[in-house]
Amino acid sequence: MKEIVVISGKGGTGKTSLSAAFATLGPAKVVADCDVDAADLYLVLRPVNTHEQRFITGQKAVINEAACTNCGLCSEYCRFDAISQKNGKTIISGISCDGCQLCERICPEEAISMVQSDRSYWFSGTFRNGLMVHARLAPGEENSGKLVNVVREQARKTAACNELETIIIDGPPGTGCPVISSLTGAGQAVIVTEPGLSAFHDLKRLLQLINNFKIKSCVIINKYDLNESITNQMTEWLKGAGIPLAGKLPFDRLMVDAMLQCKSITEYSPDSELSNEIKSIWKFINEMP
Amino acid sequence: MKIAIASGKGGTGKTFVSTNLFWVAKLAGMSVTLIDCDAEEPNVREYIEENDCCSENVFQQIPVIDTSRCTFCGKCFEYCNYNAIVFLTANRFIRIVEDLCHDCGACSYACRDGAITEKKKLLGTVNTISKDPGTNVVEACTEVGVYSPVPVIKKALAHINSHEITLLDAPPGISCPFITTVAPADYVVLVAEPTPFGLNDLILSAETLRKLEKPFGVVINKAGLGNNDTGQWLESNKIPLLLEIPFDREIARLFAEGILPVKENIIFATLFKKLLNTILTSTP
């Protein structure tokens, strides 16, 4: 089984559009949208969900005012600055609470209880070129990577059960927990960047992270013609660092037009220069030693 | 006034809006602070001339178990809500998984044998990039591989001062790092792209801000690239459209090189001055 993660460091470089293109090229595959914070891949792949499951992201402490004596012990022990006293009342901030449960355990009046955050879901289903696993993180929930783990694990199970060879993971931006969860156990990382100082900086940070995982990786410079001089700098830098450049893609409105039609670029305009280049990039990725 | 600049989707132009706003506010003679809260991938630095580089470290506490004192009672294991303690009773084996520890202190509290002490682990830095009497630019930056940026963001937010304007450049998404950043803001500017992906993520961000009861408005960036669904959605939901920034290859090229378009282009400077005024008059 081959697991390919599409990531970027900086957001908005084109991860999801390229994941959609790869997903719809060649034989049937499993696709997992691990950007649970901004899950957009379903808009293009339009899966028919056959399974839906609630996911508990964590828990929050709530206080029973009637039982609370405002002794202040909980706020003294809370390391997340989540508990304060206002107008003679003890208040727990749902935003700051990390769900560690220490306050509930130490309250001498048993005035604190824990409530589960269960408004997030994950789904699995079929799309026109295989199977898809995706999720919806409820607004404001902790994205600890746990939901990403579930999506990734389900994708692996789905691939194994259905004897599908390739899993494509549309990853989240950044370098934190959700990215780490997406990379864990993957065979290959495809990094999508664009020619800008910000994206360049983020690319270097991301490669630092990937180094810890010893995953083979390659880079795609998307919208390369928006700044050819930075594209050249990036190309030189990658050469020096020994990281293969899988290809460069021009900025093209076709990419957005395809999205507006809920199609991948390779479906919407299969014979365009852009699609041909994406096909050769896909070949490059698959043939990487 | 504290203004957060945020978006669900990455790469819509948060830093573009926050850095250009910073510059027009500074030019207008206002005192202004800009805090880059996208600690996993901070980028404000590329657009600000550095004149000060003081840096403070952000640490978390990590428990250390002294196995010569430990009685292997399992109490710390029971108290840990993050699976950060591996405990095998039969083998008298106990170990901390440092990456999973949230620094809540529950295990230290639980231990009755005095076997747990704490050591410091570096999570990131809060860097002052530029400082003048009227302006202050601060960046939150996590160490690569740190699980959550929230503690570093919180430290950076402590730099909010009495300046007339504080701009908070938020991390993408709608989860904790975003919530932490917008929490102290009086007003939130959501930056969106007029595409199906952009609209989908904008709807989620708007839902989150409504729940938090934060007043907000929307800047549509790269206008002309997608369709008009975003504009229509804003109208039917009575959400103010603060500004539309047309997609322009030349502007994209300049910004990619670390140049602020408001410095180079009069039309852009006027647009952003208007945006700042609209925001300042939008808040209660």
Side-chain angles (χ1 to χ4, degrees):
Chain A
M1 200 188 298
K2 188 144 76 182
E3 203 173 310
I4 300 169
V5 191
V6 183
I7 42 173
S8 73
K10 186 177 182 312
T13 56
K15 284 181 297 299
T16 302
S17 293
L18 286 173
S19 297
F22 298 152
T24 50
L25 278 177
K29 38 185 85 67
V30 176
V31 177
D33 190 348
C34 284
D35 189 2
V36 296
D37 234 295
D40 291 330
L41 189 56
Y42 80 95
L43 294 171
V44 175
L45 299 186
R46 287 167 295 149
V48 178
N49 295 331
T50 49
H51 182 83
E52 170 178 331
Q53 198 167 318
R54 204 182 271 274
F55 179 78
I56 294 161
T57 47
Q59 48 181 357
K60 300 267 178 209
V62 289
I63 206 156
N64 172 4
E65 277 180 29
C68 174
T69 59
N70 297 306
C71 71
L73 192 67
C74 53
S75 64
E76 191 186 311
Y77 274 93
C78 177
R79 290 197 182 178
F80 302 97
D81 299 322
I83 310 178
S84 56
Q85 310 266 345
K86 247 180 218 146
N87 308 324
K89 272 200 259 176
T90 304
I91 298 164
I92 301 180
S93 151
I95 292 172
S96 296
C97 175
D98 200 65
C100 77
Q101 212 181 337
L102 184 57
C103 57
E104 186 232 38
R105 296 186 202 270
I106 64 174
C107 176
E109 309 299 331
E110 297 185 2
I112 297 175
S113 53
M114 303 303 290
V115 178
Q116 286 184 332
S117 316
D118 62 356
R119 293 173 298 119
S120 300
Y121 289 86
W122 65 266
F123 314 90
S124 65
T126 59
F127 79 104
R128 53 194 178 277
N129 194 31
L131 299 152
M132 178 167 182
V133 186
H134 58 123
R136 199 182 62 219
L137 186 75
E141 298 288 275
E142 185 191 355
N143 188 358
S144 63
K146 280 188 274 182
L147 185 52
V148 173
N149 271 337
V150 170
V151 170
R152 212 195 50 220
E153 283 305 318
Q154 284 303 323
R156 279 179 194 161
K157 273 187 208 161
T158 308
C161 288
N162 295 279
E163 294 178 356
L164 293 175
E165 271 305 300
T166 310
I167 303 176
I168 292 172
I169 295 177
D170 184 10
T175 55
C177 205
V179 180
I180 295 168
S181 294
S182 308
L183 285 169
T184 307
Q188 200 172 352
V190 175
I191 306 166
V192 186
T193 189
E194 62 189 26
L197 294 181
S198 299
F200 201 176
H201 165 262
D202 295 353
L203 170 69
K204 289 175 185 165
R205 268 174 75 86
L206 184 61
L207 284 167
Q208 227 180 309
L209 179 73
I210 290 176
N211 249 338
N212 301 339
F213 285 83
K214 312 254 177 280
I215 296 174
K216 67 175 170 185
S217 40
C218 62
V219 171
I220 299 170
I221 305 181
N222 194 13
K223 315 174 206 174
Y224 80 88
D225 51 341
L226 286 184
N227 195 314
E228 301 213 28
S229 108
I230 300 181
T231 293
N232 292 338
Q233 284 173 40
M234 283 179 144
T235 311
E236 281 306 306
W237 186 86
L238 288 170
K239 217 181 268 170
I243 296 150
L245 179 65
K248 298 186 295 187
L249 297 168
F251 175 80
D252 196 327
R253 282 168 189 264
L254 274 182
M255 204 78 130
V256 181
D257 293 342
M259 195 202 295
L260 291 173
Q261 301 302 319
C262 302
K263 285 181 175 157
S264 74
I265 177 70
T266 41
E267 291 172 315
Y268 177 72
S269 181
D271 300 319
S272 59
E273 188 199 336
L274 195 55
S275 289
N276 286 332
E277 186 56 32
I278 290 173
K279 285 175 206 161
S280 80
I281 289 175
W282 182 236
K283 193 161 169 266
F284 180 95
I285 293 167
N286 280 292
E287 288 171 0
M288 256 180 85
Chain B
M1 177 177 177
K2 297 181 279 294
I3 306 158
I5 295 94
S7 77
K9 188 177 178 313
T12 57
K14 288 178 295 294
T15 303
F16 181 78
V17 170
S18 68
T19 50
N20 281 298
L21 273 178
F22 170 79
W23 190 256
V24 294
K26 181 179 165 163
L27 273 193
M30 292 184 223
S31 57
V32 52
T33 292
L34 168 59
I35 305 178
D36 189 350
C37 296
D38 189 358
E40 286 180 35
E41 296 288 24
N43 292 131
V44 160
R45 184 187 280 271
E46 318 285 347
Y47 305 95
I48 304 292
E49 215 166 291
E50 297 177 26
N51 71 6
D52 187 311
C53 253
C54 81
S55 172
E56 51 180 306
N57 290 331
V58 183
F59 295 100
Q60 80 164 89
Q61 301 291 328
I62 296 270
V64 180
I65 300 176
D66 176 353
T67 43
S68 68
R69 294 190 131 189
C70 178
T71 57
F72 300 90
C73 70
K75 190 96 177 158
C76 58
F77 169 74
E78 180 200 322
Y79 267 47
C80 178
N81 260 8
Y82 306 103
N83 300 318
I85 299 178
V86 182
F87 175 58
L88 303 166
T89 331
N91 306 44
R92 290 174 68 84
F93 176 90
I94 192 150
R95 185 163 295 167
I96 305 283
V97 186
E98 294 192 1
D99 281 338
L100 295 180
C101 173
H102 281 220
D103 184 13
C104 71
C107 58
S108 300
Y109 179 87
C111 183
R112 286 166 297 198
D113 305 308
I116 298 185
T117 51
E118 292 183 325
K119 65 172 183 185
K120 279 175 165 181
K121 176 187 167 185
L122 183 66
L123 294 179
T125 51
V126 173
N127 310 308
T128 301
I129 297 170
S130 156
K131 197 169 187 170
D132 305 313
T135 59
N136 195 10
V137 182
V138 175
E139 164 196 83
C141 185
T142 57
E143 289 290 293
V144 168
V146 160
Y147 275 54
S148 168
V150 169
V152 186
I153 295 173
K154 280 188 174 167
K155 265 279 157 50
L157 290 172
H159 284 260
I160 292 176
N161 50 27
S162 57
H163 279 166
E164 286 162 84
I165 295 178
T166 302
L167 300 165
L168 307 170
D169 192 352
I174 49 167
S175 60
C176 287
F178 158 75
I179 303 274
T180 305
T181 305
V182 300
D186 304 305
Y187 191 81
V188 181
V189 176
L190 288 176
V191 185
E193 279 171 19
T195 61
F197 292 177
L199 177 57
N200 186 48
D201 298 340
L202 172 64
I203 292 171
L204 291 171
S205 308
E207 193 191 320
T208 313
L209 290 175
R210 285 205 162 132
K211 221 167 259 168
L212 294 171
E213 297 176 0
K214 288 280 171 196
F216 66 97
V218 171
V219 168
I220 295 183
N221 191 17
K222 308 179 199 176
L225 269 193
N227 60 14
N228 195 31
D229 289 358
T230 307
Q232 279 170 5
W233 182 82
L234 291 177
E235 220 175 285
S236 59
N237 284 277
K238 300 194 170 56
I239 295 169
L241 172 60
L242 304 168
L243 175 68
E244 274 188 281
I245 305 171
F247 176 75
D248 181 324
R249 287 185 85 112
E250 180 54 18
I251 296 294
R253 194 188 60 79
L254 282 178
F255 196 69
E257 289 176 3
I259 298 165
L260 292 181
V262 287
K263 287 189 187 174
E264 302 287 320
N265 182 313
I266 292 179
I267 301 168
F268 253 76
T270 318
L271 277 182
F272 271 87
K273 265 183 224 158
K274 257 197 200 155
L275 174 62
L276 183 62
N277 280 332
T278 312
I279 296 167
L280 293 177
T281 49
S282 292
T283 42

